[in-house]
Amino acid sequence: MKRRHILGGIALGTGALVVGWSILPPRQRLQPSQPLPEVDHQSALNGWVRIGDDDKVTVIMSKSEMGQGVFTGLAMMLADELDARWDQIGFETATIDDIYNNQSVAADGLPFHPDNHGPVKRFAQWMTHKTMRELGLMATGGSSSMKDLWLPMREAGASARAMLLGAAANQWQLPASECTVKEGVVSHPSGVSAKFGELAALAAKRPRPSSVTLKTPDQFKLIGHATPRLEGGSKTDGSALYTTDFKPEGLLYACVRMNPELGAPLNSFDASKAEVMPGVRKVLAVPADKGSTAGVAVVAQSTFQALKALRQVQVDWGHGPAQAWSSKEVQNALLQGLSSEDSHTYFEQGDADKALKSAAKTIEAQYSAPYLAHATMEPISCTVWLKNGEAELWVPSQVPDAARHIVAAILGVPKDKVKLHLPLLGSGFGRRLEFDFVAQAAFIAKAMPGQPVQTLWDRSQELQHDFYRPACVSSYSAGLDAQGQVVAWKNRSASQSIAADMVTRLLGVPGGGPDKTTAEGAFDQAYEWPHAHISHTTVKLPVPVGSWRSVGHSHQAFFKESFVDEVAHASGQDPLAFRLSLLKNHPRHAKVLQLAADQSGWGKPLPASPDGVQRALGLALHESFGTIVAQVAEVSLLNGQIRVHRVVCAVDCGTVVNPDGVAQQMESAVMYGLSAALYGEISLDKGQVQQSNFHDYKVLRIDQAPQVQTHMVASDALPEGMGEPGTPPIAPAVANAVFALNGQRLRSLPLRLT
């Protein structure tokens, strides 16, 4: 292993220092650089767990809980190795420390094909893990949380367990090897026993074990078993706390109105009418920062007063580069990108052009997808309190330490003087990876020193000033031989680059280079093409773009799985059999696909709907974030509308930690993906977003929600992502079912019958 790292380092020209660093094992992730903050009657056994003398086990959470159930899954892993009872478990958000940095999200973001297991990939991932341990961020994204902490949380639990055993054995003067732990109690065959709480203080004084033995899957008592959500009860009874629920003494409220033209400036404003209205404390200009658009803010004693006064502010808005762009111009620019020579090849196998020329039959198609907003349930909000050279920050962020850094810089205080509070997030979907609203809140609070200020956007500002899922177009060509077998596959897509856009707005320098997210879902799939060429062209446009649930997979899966279906029908083959023929060397994918087909009744006659309308099935298979998902959608058409009655899902996400959590995320992803598939579209007119609320940016209603059935493939592989992989397959599954019903190919999102 060391020899491979050394050779890889030399091959990449990293130099002797980096090579030497690369062969060292990654630094530990159990003990923080500073001890956990002291809490009365609680003892910290490592950076991930405290145990109180009341027997309560507090698990330290370094990820953001935004409805994906990550607190529960992470606690299950630690509690299982600790051998604690589930009713003992509580949670607390982590302080900022390098041991909490997300290592997996960056390593998984490297632009390698999943089938690539070569030394260069292994070296790059190794180096990325090590680098992120030292220079990374506490981040929740990329469906990486369970994978990232699979070992650290289990090791933390096992280490704490060993320390408790050692403390008990030392107190009883008995061999530790004869003591056992079960359901929060350490005991010895002689009859002596002690609860965790009785041993915690003694255990915390013992040295941390240099190594621990982790449980084997047959020993798991929590992992793999359906377990209730840790925060579920508080969300049911209303006691769960989100950013706007925190009301520090003297809290003021700010509302913001930004230039409706994306990225355009504020020329001037007249606040004379607003300033004399009840409760108004200040009216101020808010600069463009971290990707935001310039605007005006009103600070008042209530949100209602701030919103009411904001309507009375007379504003002269300026214009910027986006004014020349409407939806039609965006589409034309993307289509031009398809014919551009300035593209990056993400995957190449054989000679696709030559194979296409010799094919007996050629199939071609072009697809498109629009901009999408995140439409999170929780409105954009952030509370900042500047006082006596220090600050407090309440922020629903997926990257809390970066948010703290930005607030510190704007307020002009050291970042260690910013006390961070990370509440529950009312969904994220990637929107809380951004910092525009954080910078705004800090700037407004700076104008009101000594008083906490809660900045809140209304829904129109949120929809009209988002970082949108990029609009994208994609062209495909496939060649078949005389027997109907695929001989060539060629694909090129065009869109903006999320990575380049983010670098520009956060660092102020032009972003460039290949961005994996632009083509993920197109180049990194399991289908075995004899000849293939998959490339992408980056198009620069003045529309802010960002990560949206499943990122590039969200639209590339629709393009790819729709065209796979087209080619299957052109070859005269059943869509299931056609896909299976392309997965001969990918048994995990084939197993997932077959499971979904079997559970849906694929190939069997479907009964009509209760109203007598015919139904049909559509199929899609897609891998994202390490997880393989197949979905079969049962669809009917009535009065020009697409109705989805049932979605059968099969999933291989590696080791299933919490089956309930997997099912919940699959249901959530299907509903979110269906909203986009059937309705989602952000349109532009002269640089202004036309949608303003849920009346014109529709989401799926409860009476439109299909039944979702989830079936999990048993696996002992590492846990993989579950927050996002259920979203990509649903749009193509529905579109393919529509084709089965009426022979119409829907190649643009949202899906509209013609």
Side-chain angles (χ1 to χ4, degrees), residues 192-412:
V192 293
S193 64
K195 295 180 179 180
F196 283 177
E198 299 172 282
L199 298 168
L202 292 173
K205 297 176 182 178
R206 297 182 63 81
R208 182 167 53 86
S210 58
S211 63
V212 292
T213 300
L214 300 179
K215 290 183 177 181
T216 56
D218 60 296
Q219 297 173 310
F220 291 155
K221 297 175 182 177
L222 285 171
I223 296 172
H225 299 277
T227 303
R229 293 271 286 266
L230 275 178
E231 87 291 5
S234 66
K235 291 177 176 177
T236 302
D237 64 21
S239 61
L241 296 177
Y242 298 87
T243 298
T244 55
D245 293 316
F246 289 89
K247 310 287 186 184
E249 185 177 355
L251 181 66
L252 297 175
Y253 300 84
C255 292
V256 180
R257 178 155 56 103
M258 288 166 279
N259 191 327
E261 183 184 311
L262 294 170
L266 164 68
N267 290 337
S268 63
F269 69 93
D270 179 357
S272 56
K273 293 181 180 179
E275 288 172 334
V276 297
M277 295 180 69
V280 173
R281 297 289 298 276
K282 185 179 278 294
V283 183
L284 67 156
V286 179
D289 194 9
K290 303 300 180 290
S292 68
T293 296
V296 176
V298 172
V299 182
Q301 292 177 328
S302 73
T303 300
F304 176 76
Q305 290 173 331
L307 282 171
K308 190 174 181 181
L310 197 56
R311 298 189 185 102
Q312 299 303 314
V313 179
Q314 303 299 309
V315 184
D316 176 22
W317 299 117
H319 297 290
Q323 186 186 26
W325 294 88
S326 297
S327 293
K328 183 178 180 181
E329 286 74 27
V330 168
Q331 185 74 359
N332 289 339
L334 296 177
L335 291 173
Q336 290 175 15
L338 288 181
S339 58
S340 170
E341 297 299 321
D342 186 22
S343 65
H344 178 77
T345 299
Y346 282 87
F347 182 78
E348 193 163 31
Q349 176 82 25
D351 190 333
D353 287 328
K354 183 178 179 181
L356 278 170
K357 291 178 182 177
S358 62
K361 185 176 184 179
T362 301
I363 304 97
E364 296 181 343
Q366 186 171 288
Y367 296 86
S368 66
Y371 290 113
L372 291 178
H374 293 85
T376 58
M377 181 169 290
E378 179 187 16
I380 293 291
S381 60
C382 182
T383 301
V384 180
W385 189 358
L386 174 62
K387 50 182 178 178
N388 303 322
E390 299 181 350
E392 281 193 73
L393 167 65
W394 291 261
V395 59
S397 177
Q398 293 177 240
V399 197
D401 49 338
R404 183 184 70 152
H405 178 82
I406 287 168
V407 168
I410 292 174
L411 296 182

Side-chain angles (χ1 to χ4, degrees), residues 25-309:
R27 291 177 63 195
Q28 59 85 25
R29 296 182 72 185
L30 291 190
Q31 204 63 30
S33 56
Q34 297 294 326
L36 290 179
E38 292 186 7
V39 176
D40 289 342
H41 307 292
Q42 291 188 16
S43 301
L45 277 69
N46 52 58
W48 299 96
V49 59
R50 283 198 188 97
I51 299 179
D53 57 15
D54 60 355
D55 230 25
K56 189 73 172 178
V57 177
T58 300
V59 181
I60 308 302
M61 299 296 180
S62 64
K63 308 297 183 184
S64 300
E65 175 59 75
M66 45 192 168
Q68 79 276 41
V70 67
F71 281 6
T72 303
L74 295 177
M76 287 173 67
M77 296 189 299
L78 187 146
D80 208 327
E81 295 288 353
L82 181 61
D83 270 315
R85 298 190 319 275
W86 187 244
D87 62 7
Q88 290 179 267
I89 303 299
F91 62 86
E92 176 184 312
T93 54
T95 54
I96 307 298
D97 195 274
D98 287 343
I99 69 165
Y100 305 127
N101 289 348
N102 190 326
Q103 296 183 10
S104 293
V105 70
D108 290 347
L110 297 172
F112 292 103
H113 194 284
D115 290 347
N116 180 343
H117 304 294
V120 174
K121 178 181 179 179
R122 292 198 302 272
F123 177 79
Q125 290 182 326
W126 173 270
M127 290 292 289
T128 301
H129 275 285
K130 287 173 60 61
T131 302
M132 293 302 290
R133 165 62 174 81
E134 309 304 324
L135 303 174
L137 294 168
M138 280 175 57
T140 307
S143 296
S144 62
S145 295
M146 303 300 285
K147 181 177 182 178
D148 183 53
L149 295 181
W150 170 246
L151 284 179
M153 295 303 272
R154 293 177 64 205
E155 289 171 349
S159 178
R161 182 180 184 275
M163 293 166 73
L164 290 163
L165 273 171
N170 184 64
Q171 187 177 44
W172 300 332
Q173 294 298 296
L174 293 168
S177 60
E178 296 179 4
C179 300
T180 57
V181 182
K182 183 178 180 181
E183 295 184 348
V185 177
V186 182
S187 59
H188 185 268
S190 64
V192 293
S193 64
K195 295 180 179 180
F196 283 177
E198 299 172 282
L199 298 168
L202 292 173
K205 297 176 182 178
R206 297 182 63 81
R208 182 167 53 86
S210 58
S211 63
V212 292
T213 300
L214 300 179
K215 290 183 177 181
T216 56
D218 60 296
Q219 297 173 310
F220 291 155
K221 297 175 182 177
L222 285 171
I223 296 172
H225 299 277
T227 303
R229 293 271 286 266
L230 275 178
E231 87 291 5
S234 66
K235 291 177 176 177
T236 302
D237 64 21
S239 61
L241 296 177
Y242 298 87
T243 298
T244 55
D245 293 316
F246 289 89
K247 310 287 186 184
E249 185 177 355
L251 181 66
L252 297 175
Y253 300 84
C255 292
V256 180
R257 178 155 56 103
M258 288 166 279
N259 191 327
E261 183 184 311
L262 294 170
L266 164 68
N267 290 337
S268 63
F269 69 93
D270 179 357
S272 56
K273 293 181 180 179
E275 288 172 334
V276 297
M277 295 180 69
V280 173
R281 297 289 298 276
K282 185 179 278 294
V283 183
L284 67 156
V286 179
D289 194 9
K290 303 300 180 290
S292 68
T293 296
V296 176
V298 172
V299 182
Q301 292 177 328
S302 73
T303 300
F304 176 76
Q305 290 173 331
L307 282 171
K308 190 174 181 181

